[in-house]
Amino acid sequence: MQVTIEPGWKAILKDEFEKPYFKNLVEFVKSEYATNTCFPPGSHIFSAFNCTPFNEVKVVIIGQDPYHGPGQAHGLCFSVGENVKIPPSLKNIFEEIKTDVGTPVPANGYLKRWATQGVLLLNATLTVRAHQAGSHQNKGWEKFTDAVIEKLSNEREGLVFMLWGGPAKKKGAKVDSTKHLVLTSGHPSPLAANRGYWFGNKHFSKTNEFLKSKGETPIVW
């Protein structure tokens, strides 16, 4: 696995790439991709970073695992390819956006349009074995993505962190809320959403109000 990553991120994470745990992680991922079907495709593992350079991040959305079905995962959390059916959680995200800011539900779930506006769509684990949710957890990815969140919290100011559901809240627990806006709610999955933990959180309008207050261009959701 060649770590091809946007130059700003490469500089910020340089020390992380040299640590023993990351070298072990690279060997694990190489072996998994050589012997099993894994997602996303190798060239897309670091797509979140390549689409949203470090100095252009405005918003951070934290997911868990990449999708583990064929053709779905492409390196941006919650996002799927243009010709892939919109998954249930993403459908609920779009429904909340429609209610909150009035943007119609789009025809597809390809979220690169958010990423290029400064929304870092970061999964806690960046790879997964086909049809085996959680199969690449506890191999080092979480340590790496914790370091990413820590760098953003420490070295940037005025970001919005959206933490949806227990794992994301736990992952973002150390974000400095004196420097950044931290928004929390239930997860958009049908299970949580149908129990009233997702709809009505207004995270998208709150994010844009905050960005405007900082002199930043709001996100076109």
Side-chain angles (χ1 to χ4, degrees):
M1 182 180 80
Q2 186 63 38
V3 180
T4 307
I5 197 166
E6 185 271 330
W9 281 111
K10 193 167 192 174
I12 287 288
L13 297 168
K14 182 171 50 97
D15 292 346
E16 217 58 32
F17 294 136
E18 295 303 317
K19 290 181 180 176
Y21 88 85
F22 193 84
K23 292 182 174 178
N24 291 339
L25 172 63
V26 167
E27 290 310 311
F28 167 76
V29 172
K30 275 183 180 172
S31 169
E32 281 288 287
Y33 274 69
T35 55
N36 299 282
T37 300
C38 295
F39 301 120
S43 60
H44 290 278
I45 293 171
F46 293 100
S47 283
F49 304 91
N50 295 329
C51 291
T52 315
F54 181 78
N55 289 326
E56 293 174 24
V57 175
K58 295 179 180 177
V59 180
V60 182
I61 296 177
I62 299 174
Q64 294 173 35
D65 257 18
Y67 296 117
H68 52 81
Q72 291 180 303
H74 63 97
L76 307 180
C77 75
F78 292 106
S79 179
V80 290
E82 290 176 281
N83 300 315
V84 178
K85 186 181 174 188
I86 298 174
S89 291
L90 185 53
K91 210 171 192 175
N92 286 338
I93 291 170
F94 287 153
E95 288 292 344
E96 175 59 23
I97 290 170
K98 183 183 175 185
T99 308
D100 186 17
V101 298
T103 305
V105 173
N108 63 64
Y110 189 53
L111 301 183
K112 190 175 179 181
R113 61 184 181 274
W114 293 2
T116 55
Q117 295 180 77
V119 182
L120 182 68
L121 295 162
L122 180 68
N123 272 318
T125 305
L126 300 191
T127 57
V128 69
R129 197 185 284 189
H131 311 298
Q132 294 184 40
S135 49
H136 287 186
Q137 289 178 2
N138 304 315
K139 302 294 183 184
W141 279 130
E142 295 90 344
K143 198 168 182 178
F144 175 70
T145 51
D146 280 349
V148 169
I149 293 164
E150 188 181 339
K151 294 282 187 188
L152 287 164
S153 177
N154 293 347
E155 300 191 25
R156 294 288 312 277
E157 280 188 30
L159 304 184
V160 181
F161 288 82
M162 294 187 181
L163 310 178
W164 302 336
K169 288 175 192 171
K170 192 175 174 186
K171 197 152 185 72
K174 290 181 182 173
V175 171
D176 186 348
S177 57
T178 66
K179 291 168 63 184
H180 306 285
L181 177 64
V182 179
L183 299 173
T184 61
S185 80
H187 194 272
S189 67
L191 190 65
N194 295 339
R195 289 179 178 168
Y197 299 133
W198 167 256
F199 291 113
N201 66 29
K202 297 191 180 300
H203 279 191
F204 306 94
S205 59
K206 287 174 182 174
T207 292
N208 280 351
E209 284 159 19
F210 179 79
L211 291 175
K212 283 190 278 190
S213 78
K214 298 287 180 186
E216 294 281 358
T217 307
I219 307 297
V220 178
W221 298 108

